[in-house]
Amino acid sequence: QKEVEQNSGPLSVPEGAIASLNCTYSDRVSQSFFWYRQYSGKSPELIMSIYSNGDKEDGRFTAQLNKASQYVSLLIRDSQPSDSATYLCAVKRPWETGGFKTIFGAGTRLFVKA
Amino acid sequence: DGGITQSPKYLFRKEGQNVTLSCEQNLNHDAMYWYRQDPGQGLRLIYYSQIVNDFQKGDIAEGYSVSREKKESFPLTVTSAQKNPTAFYLCASKEGRGDQPQHFGDGTRLSIL
């Protein structure tokens, strides 16, 4: 089982719809959660951070965290073709060697149809 | 403008050759990281450094080496021992040891000639 799992997609939604991206993680002591957007051939760009259970909204983006279910999601409202990218879920957990480690999922490809 | 600069953007390696990827940041971040990204896979940690003159192996350090002689610089050398070096290499930095997220440079795409 991968530590951070995402459906690889592609997830295809029409312009203006809500895109829902999901991520599950295996380590219960994980404490920080991040969503990155990565356009093809480019580097990941941080779009959301969430640290406590519940919802966090920023513009058209809402991150949802449920630590009991070990589940974090990203909702994109009013999806635009420019949102078409791969979305990486990242989870920070204690590392066996001390300190903390960020584990990245393989990403979900989102395609927004005009 | 503060940021993370990786160079070169594209790099080609001949068999048996060592190549060095540059990563410089002017964000005054303590921690720096090197990741490798292969198609359809998540980022895999090669090396990281929490402070100057100190660095630790990540999950896939074999065939790679790093140095951290200055806070702003964390170069990665891909040695000839790395038999499958073709990938997208990403450098990241983070402020402090807390919950802050990592921020990435623009990446270097390495290919074998």
Short mmCIF file of all heavy atoms in Angstrom, two decimals, chain A residues 4 8 12 19-20 25 30 32-33 46 75 78 92 95-96 98-99 104 106 111:
data_model
loop_
_atom_site.label_atom_id
_atom_site.label_comp_id
_atom_site.label_asym_id
_atom_site.label_seq_id
_atom_site.Cartn_x
_atom_site.Cartn_y
_atom_site.Cartn_z
N VAL A 4 0.64 7.52 0.34
CA VAL A 4 -0.31 8.55 -0.10
C VAL A 4 -0.86 8.09 -1.44
O VAL A 4 -0.11 7.88 -2.40
CB VAL A 4 0.37 9.92 -0.25
CG1 VAL A 4 -0.63 10.96 -0.74
CG2 VAL A 4 0.96 10.36 1.08
N SER A 8 -5.16 8.21 -10.37
CA SER A 8 -4.33 8.87 -11.38
C SER A 8 -5.13 9.64 -12.42
O SER A 8 -4.61 10.54 -13.09
CB SER A 8 -3.42 7.86 -12.07
OG SER A 8 -4.20 6.90 -12.75
N SER A 12 -12.19 14.14 -15.83
CA SER A 12 -12.65 15.09 -16.83
C SER A 12 -13.94 15.74 -16.37
O SER A 12 -14.89 15.03 -16.01
CB SER A 12 -12.85 14.38 -18.17
OG SER A 12 -13.21 15.30 -19.18
N ALA A 19 -14.86 20.26 -9.58
CA ALA A 19 -13.93 19.12 -9.66
C ALA A 19 -13.59 18.68 -8.25
O ALA A 19 -13.28 19.51 -7.40
CB ALA A 19 -12.66 19.52 -10.41
N SER A 20 -13.67 17.39 -8.01
CA SER A 20 -13.39 16.84 -6.68
C SER A 20 -12.23 15.87 -6.77
O SER A 20 -12.29 14.86 -7.46
CB SER A 20 -14.64 16.11 -6.16
OG SER A 20 -14.37 15.52 -4.91
N TYR A 25 -4.29 8.61 2.98
CA TYR A 25 -2.94 8.40 3.49
C TYR A 25 -2.96 7.33 4.56
O TYR A 25 -3.99 7.08 5.19
CB TYR A 25 -2.36 9.71 4.03
CG TYR A 25 -3.15 10.36 5.13
CD1 TYR A 25 -2.83 10.12 6.48
CD2 TYR A 25 -4.21 11.20 4.86
CE1 TYR A 25 -3.56 10.71 7.49
CE2 TYR A 25 -4.94 11.80 5.86
CZ TYR A 25 -4.62 11.55 7.17
OH TYR A 25 -5.34 12.13 8.18
N SER A 30 0.15 11.49 10.67
CA SER A 30 0.38 12.58 9.72
C SER A 30 -0.31 13.83 10.22
O SER A 30 -1.40 13.78 10.79
CB SER A 30 -0.16 12.20 8.34
OG SER A 30 0.50 11.07 7.83
N SER A 32 0.24 17.39 8.63
CA SER A 32 0.10 18.54 7.73
C SER A 32 -0.18 18.01 6.34
O SER A 32 0.38 16.99 5.93
CB SER A 32 1.39 19.38 7.71
OG SER A 32 1.81 19.69 9.00
N PHE A 33 -1.03 18.76 5.62
CA PHE A 33 -1.50 18.25 4.34
C PHE A 33 -1.49 19.40 3.32
O PHE A 33 -1.89 20.52 3.64
CB PHE A 33 -2.92 17.68 4.49
CG PHE A 33 -2.98 16.67 5.60
CD1 PHE A 33 -3.20 17.06 6.91
CD2 PHE A 33 -2.79 15.33 5.32
CE1 PHE A 33 -3.22 16.13 7.94
CE2 PHE A 33 -2.81 14.39 6.34
CZ PHE A 33 -3.02 14.79 7.64
N LEU A 46 2.32 25.27 -4.83
CA LEU A 46 1.44 25.08 -3.69
C LEU A 46 0.15 25.88 -3.87
O LEU A 46 0.20 27.08 -4.19
CB LEU A 46 2.14 25.55 -2.42
CG LEU A 46 1.31 25.46 -1.15
CD1 LEU A 46 1.18 24.00 -0.71
CD2 LEU A 46 1.95 26.28 -0.02
N LEU A 75 -11.61 20.52 -3.57
CA LEU A 75 -12.71 20.86 -4.46
C LEU A 75 -12.35 22.12 -5.21
O LEU A 75 -11.86 23.09 -4.62
CB LEU A 75 -14.00 21.10 -3.66
CG LEU A 75 -14.51 19.95 -2.80
CD1 LEU A 75 -15.77 20.36 -2.05
CD2 LEU A 75 -14.79 18.72 -3.66
N ASP A 78 -16.39 26.10 -10.06
CA ASP A 78 -16.35 26.87 -11.31
C ASP A 78 -15.07 26.55 -12.09
O ASP A 78 -14.28 27.45 -12.43
CB ASP A 78 -16.44 28.38 -11.01
CG ASP A 78 -16.60 29.23 -12.25
OD1 ASP A 78 -17.08 28.70 -13.28
OD2 ASP A 78 -16.22 30.41 -12.22
N LYS A 92 2.62 15.33 5.48
CA LYS A 92 3.81 15.41 6.31
C LYS A 92 3.62 14.53 7.54
O LYS A 92 2.60 14.65 8.24
CB LYS A 92 4.04 16.85 6.72
CG LYS A 92 5.34 17.10 7.45
CD LYS A 92 5.53 18.59 7.65
CE LYS A 92 6.81 18.87 8.39
NZ LYS A 92 7.00 20.31 8.60
N TRP A 95 9.31 11.19 10.79
CA TRP A 95 10.20 10.31 10.06
C TRP A 95 10.93 9.40 11.06
O TRP A 95 11.27 9.84 12.16
CB TRP A 95 11.23 11.13 9.28
CG TRP A 95 11.85 10.43 8.14
CD1 TRP A 95 11.78 9.11 7.85
CD2 TRP A 95 12.65 11.01 7.11
NE1 TRP A 95 12.48 8.83 6.70
CE2 TRP A 95 13.03 9.97 6.23
CE3 TRP A 95 13.09 12.31 6.85
CZ2 TRP A 95 13.81 10.20 5.11
CZ3 TRP A 95 13.87 12.53 5.74
CH2 TRP A 95 14.23 11.48 4.89
N GLU A 96 11.20 8.19 10.63
CA GLU A 96 11.83 7.23 11.51
C GLU A 96 13.19 7.71 12.00
O GLU A 96 13.63 7.35 13.08
CB GLU A 96 12.01 5.88 10.77
CG GLU A 96 10.70 5.22 10.32
CD GLU A 96 10.13 5.80 9.04
OE1 GLU A 96 10.81 6.61 8.38
OE2 GLU A 96 8.99 5.45 8.71
N GLY A 98 13.96 10.69 12.71
CA GLY A 98 13.81 11.95 13.43
C GLY A 98 13.33 13.04 12.50
O GLY A 98 13.57 12.98 11.29
N GLY A 99 12.68 14.06 13.03
CA GLY A 99 12.16 15.12 12.19
C GLY A 99 10.90 14.68 11.46
O GLY A 99 10.23 13.72 11.84
N PHE A 104 4.70 12.57 -1.11
CA PHE A 104 3.86 13.04 -2.21
C PHE A 104 3.13 11.87 -2.87
O PHE A 104 3.71 10.80 -3.09
CB PHE A 104 4.71 13.74 -3.27
CG PHE A 104 5.23 15.08 -2.83
CD1 PHE A 104 6.39 15.17 -2.07
CD2 PHE A 104 4.57 16.24 -3.17
CE1 PHE A 104 6.87 16.41 -1.66
CE2 PHE A 104 5.04 17.48 -2.77
CZ PHE A 104 6.19 17.55 -2.01
N ALA A 106 1.17 10.36 -6.31
CA ALA A 106 1.56 10.38 -7.72
C ALA A 106 0.77 11.40 -8.53
O ALA A 106 1.14 11.71 -9.66
CB ALA A 106 1.41 8.99 -8.33
N PHE A 111 -8.76 17.32 -16.26
CA PHE A 111 -8.97 17.93 -17.57
C PHE A 111 -10.32 18.65 -17.53
O PHE A 111 -11.34 18.02 -17.28
CB PHE A 111 -8.94 16.86 -18.66
CG PHE A 111 -9.18 17.39 -20.04
CD1 PHE A 111 -8.32 18.33 -20.60
CD2 PHE A 111 -10.27 16.97 -20.80
CE1 PHE A 111 -8.53 18.83 -21.86
CE2 PHE A 111 -10.48 17.47 -22.07
CZ PHE A 111 -9.62 18.40 -22.60
#
